[in-house]
Amino acid sequence: MTRVSLVIALALLEVWGLAGRPARRQGDQCAVALVVDGDTFRCRDGRRVRLIGIDAPERGQGEAGRLARLALLRYLPPGRMVRLERDVQATDRYGRTLAFAWTGGTLVNQAMVREGWAVLYTVPPDVKYAERLLQAQKEARAGRAGLWASGGFDCLPRDYRRDRCLTRS
């Protein structure tokens, strides 16, 4: 193989994502149909989307759950086109599409944490923006943003789901 052929072959491998690292996943578009809670929504095409890297209070957590849902609804009102960016896993155990949601230049997952409506919740191998989300949580907590101001995270969503909280709303 000539030097030129080798360079061309390596360039093609890079373009196809075969040069020692995974191919970049292109985001796809989704028209929001409805917001289920602070970290889950449905697309008009029927897909259920779970936001990667965050955990918002559950609907059963009373006012905290209601406020988290309303916060996500401000970013993703019905009809809004959103770009979905995948990480490693395509779906979770419930069949929901796992994605980072972008509206314009805003990473919705990060905005929810930064404003104090959700907490960091990493599930490897989907950790692409974990550092950004961790920094957003530190800032939200220090600034008592959103639910950090009212004790809305006294019972974290993961603990609520496991019935580990002293009181359930």
Side-chain angles (χ1 to χ4, degrees), residues 5 8 24 36 42 72 117 124 143 157:
S5 299
I8 292 171
R24 290 184 184 171
V36 176
R42 287 185 184 268
L72 186 57
W117 305 115

Side-chain angles (χ1 to χ4, degrees), residues 20-110:
R21 61 187 164 115
R24 290 184 184 171
R25 290 176 171 78
Q26 294 296 327
D28 63 290
Q29 298 291 312
C30 157
V32 175
L34 82 110
V35 169
V36 176
D37 58 25
D39 55 34
T40 307
F41 65 96
R42 287 185 184 268
C43 300
R44 285 187 177 162
D45 63 12
R47 283 181 290 175
R48 295 175 302 141
V49 179
R50 172 64 164 83
L51 296 175
I52 297 173
I54 73 170
D55 203 12
E58 302 294 335
R59 289 181 289 184
Q61 287 187 263
E63 186 69 1
R66 187 183 75 77
L67 291 172
R69 181 183 174 278
L70 288 175
L72 186 57
L73 194 55
R74 285 192 296 274
Y75 284 104
L76 304 177
R80 166 88 32 101
M81 289 302 293
V82 62
R83 183 173 61 88
L84 303 177
E85 179 183 353
R86 307 269 175 91
D87 200 348
V88 177
Q89 298 180 92
T91 58
D92 68 6
R93 63 183 176 168
Y94 303 108
R96 298 176 296 190
T97 297
L98 295 172
F100 296 102
W102 293 86
T103 176
T106 301
L107 176 55
V108 175
N109 313 48
Q110 181 180 10

